[in-house]
């Protein structure tokens, strides 16, 4: 049946075509960007120096990613200022899928409380991709200290000058030291390092009395004057099955039961398809022999998650970590 209003039909059709063209012109840059990605090297900014768990994850995953995507993946270490320098570099990068960042969960989530002013806004400038688990952290002391567990160490620390090494201001061990002081009446001084390697060396030499960090970094000095007296988290380290968790030793604080991680983030606005691909590749990488060897080396039994599950965990866990920072009242500026 022919239309009795040919002009109206033409106008309506023209309007629909114009609207479709407009929509396509808006969507095309995003779709085109994601479709041709990647066409140049990808950079992962690590907010710590080489040698620690964050760097090891980034390099192992980056090597796998390069093979899968067909472009170089460059690891750029930018330590300093409690990881703020590295995180800020990512936050200020173009949201084009070519710059990502890795740091510890504490430096991402709790820096907003620990510092009065940051050069970036975590909620507005960055978005999570996945979180690489860090596993139980080791509580290690200088072997000359006559303590077999955390309670004995606390008793010793009440009578002796004591310093705890941390791998960054506001990091997990910094919070452990602060909480121990508040609840046990100790005066443990936190000494901040740009990463774990120099921290553990100073425990071995006796310049520090205690530190908290990854198994792999601790293991480099485990036969050179450092002894484990506990691990954090809700389960024992696969590499230290005879060392009880702090919870098993009677510590009931929420802090010592939490397991942090190493979030991989991107600048906010990075195309969804790219975020999903990066997270999916992290999950696929976690099932490779090299990833299994890394987890075995660092005593990490669990694996990273896909984008949807990462976002769900992020929404649930970030408020818990932030509240702990608020309750402890630590300020770093």
């Amino acid at each position: 049946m022919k239309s009795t209003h040919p002009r109206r039909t033409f106008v309506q059709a023209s309007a629909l075509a114009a609207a479709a063209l407009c929509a396509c012109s808006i969507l095309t840059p995003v779709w085109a960007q994601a479709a041709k990605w990647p066409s140049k090297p990808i950079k992962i900014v690590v907010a710590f120096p080489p040698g620690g768990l964050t760097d090891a994850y980034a390099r192992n995953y980056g090597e796998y990613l390069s093979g899968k995507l067909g472009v170089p993946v460059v690891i750029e270490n930018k330590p300093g200022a409690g990881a703020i320098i590295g995180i800020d570099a990512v936050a200020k990068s173009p949201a084009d899928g070519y710059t990502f960042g890795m740091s510890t969960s504490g430096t991402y989530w709790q820096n907003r409380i620990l510092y009065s002013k940051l050069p970036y806004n975590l909620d507005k400038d960055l978005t999570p991709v996945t979180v690489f688990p860090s596993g139980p952290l080791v509580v290690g002391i200088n072997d000359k200290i006559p303590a077999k567990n955390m309670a004995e160490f606390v008793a010793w620390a009440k009578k002796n000058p004591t310093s705890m090494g941390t791998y960054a201001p506001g990091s997990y061990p910094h919070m452990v030291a602060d909480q121990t002081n508040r609840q046990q009446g100790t005066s443990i001084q936190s000494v901040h390092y740009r990463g774990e390697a120099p921290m553990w060396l100073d425990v071995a030499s006796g310049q520090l009395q205690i530190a908290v960090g990854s198994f792999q970094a601790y293991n480099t000095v485990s036969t050179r004057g450092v002894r484990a007296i506990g691990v954090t988290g809700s389960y024992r380290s696969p590499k230290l099955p005879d060392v009880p968790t702090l919870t098993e030793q009677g510590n009931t604080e929420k802090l010592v039961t939490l397991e942090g991680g190493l979030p991989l983030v991107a600048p906010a606005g990075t195309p969804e398809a790219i975020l999903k691909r990066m997270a999916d590749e992290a999950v696929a990488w976690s099932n490779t022999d090299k990833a299994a060897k890394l987890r075995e080396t660092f005593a990490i039994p669990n694996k990273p998650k896909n984008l949807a599950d990462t976002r769900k965990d992020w929404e649930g866990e970030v408020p818990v970590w932030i509240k702990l920072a608020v309750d402890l009242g630590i300020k770093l500026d």
Side-chain angles (χ1 to χ4, degrees):
M1 181 177 178
K2 293 183 179 180
S3 172
T4 56
H5 302 285
R7 178 174 174 77
R8 183 184 302 172
T9 302
F10 175 77
V11 171
Q12 289 174 338
S14 298
L16 289 172
L21 182 62
C22 180
C24 287
S25 67
I26 293 173
L27 294 174
T28 296
V30 176
W31 283 102
Q33 184 182 46
K36 69 180 181 181
W37 179 90
S39 59
K40 62 180 182 180
I42 294 171
K43 179 170 64 177
I44 299 178
V45 178
V46 176
F48 290 93
L53 178 58
T54 313
D55 184 70
Y57 258 129
R59 293 183 185 278
N60 199 308
Y61 168 62
E63 181 182 356
Y64 169 85
L65 196 63
S66 178
K68 293 291 288 188
L69 300 181
V71 297
V73 176
V74 180
I75 308 303
E76 182 177 333
N77 298 90
K78 293 183 73 69
I84 291 175
I85 293 174
I87 297 173
D88 187 49
V90 178
K92 289 181 169 54
S93 295
D96 56 6
Y98 291 98
T99 301
F100 297 86
M102 282 187 68
S103 187
T104 61
S105 53
T107 56
Y108 281 124
W109 301 341
Q110 294 160 278
N111 273 0
R112 67 176 80 183
I113 302 301
L114 302 172
Y115 293 90
S116 301
K117 187 177 181 180
L118 292 171
Y120 57 86
N121 183 305
L122 180 67
D123 297 321
K124 295 180 179 179
D125 300 333
L126 295 163
T127 188
V129 179
T130 191
V131 177
F132 294 93
S134 58
L137 298 180
V138 180
V139 182
I141 64 173
N142 181 275
D143 198 38
K144 294 180 180 180
I145 297 173
K148 297 179 181 179
N149 52 50
M150 193 62 179
E152 291 182 5
F153 178 80
V154 167
W156 182 89
K158 289 180 178 180
K159 302 176 182 178
N160 299 274
T162 305
S163 296
M164 176 182 282
T166 87
Y167 40 79
S171 60
Y172 188 94
H174 187 186
M175 297 189 72
V176 170
D178 189 83
Q179 189 173 77
T180 302
N181 288 340
R182 289 170 180 268
Q183 297 187 352
Q184 302 293 337
T186 51
S187 299
I188 299 172
Q189 298 295 314
S190 294
V191 181
H192 308 303
Y193 292 78
R194 291 186 176 185
E196 291 191 67
M199 172 186 80
W200 284 114
L201 287 174
D202 280 355
V203 177
S205 69
Q207 295 185 59
L208 297 176
Q209 287 69 51
I210 185 171
V212 181
S214 70
F215 169 80
Q216 193 272 349
Y218 152 80
N219 198 42
T220 61
V221 294
S222 62
T223 59
R224 298 162 54 192
V226 181
R227 175 165 39 88
I229 59 170
V231 297
T232 67
S234 59
Y235 54 90
R236 296 191 182 191
S237 169
K239 289 287 191 178
L240 298 169
D242 296 329
V243 178
T245 66
L246 294 182
T247 301
E248 290 178 287
Q249 296 183 40
N251 293 273
T252 58
E253 297 82 5
K254 180 72 174 176
L255 177 63
V256 300
T257 67
L258 293 174
E259 180 180 344
L262 309 170
L264 177 73
V265 303
T270 299
E272 184 79 359
I274 294 176
L275 298 177
K276 186 177 185 304
R277 179 68 185 276
M278 290 288 287
D280 287 346
E281 293 296 355
V283 173
W285 162 80
S286 71
N287 294 316
T288 65
D289 290 341
K290 282 191 174 182
K293 184 176 180 180
L294 183 146
R295 289 196 306 274
E296 197 272 338
T297 299
F298 282 87
I300 301 171
N302 39 1
K303 302 176 182 180
K305 299 179 180 180
N306 62 29
L307 183 61
D309 288 341
T310 295
R311 285 172 170 167
K312 182 178 179 181
D313 290 347
W314 193 273
E315 291 174 0
E317 293 176 3
V318 171
V320 176
W321 284 94
I322 289 176
K323 185 178 186 304
L324 283 170
V326 171
D327 291 345
L328 289 174
I330 299 174
K331 278 292 182 182
L332 302 178
D333 57 6

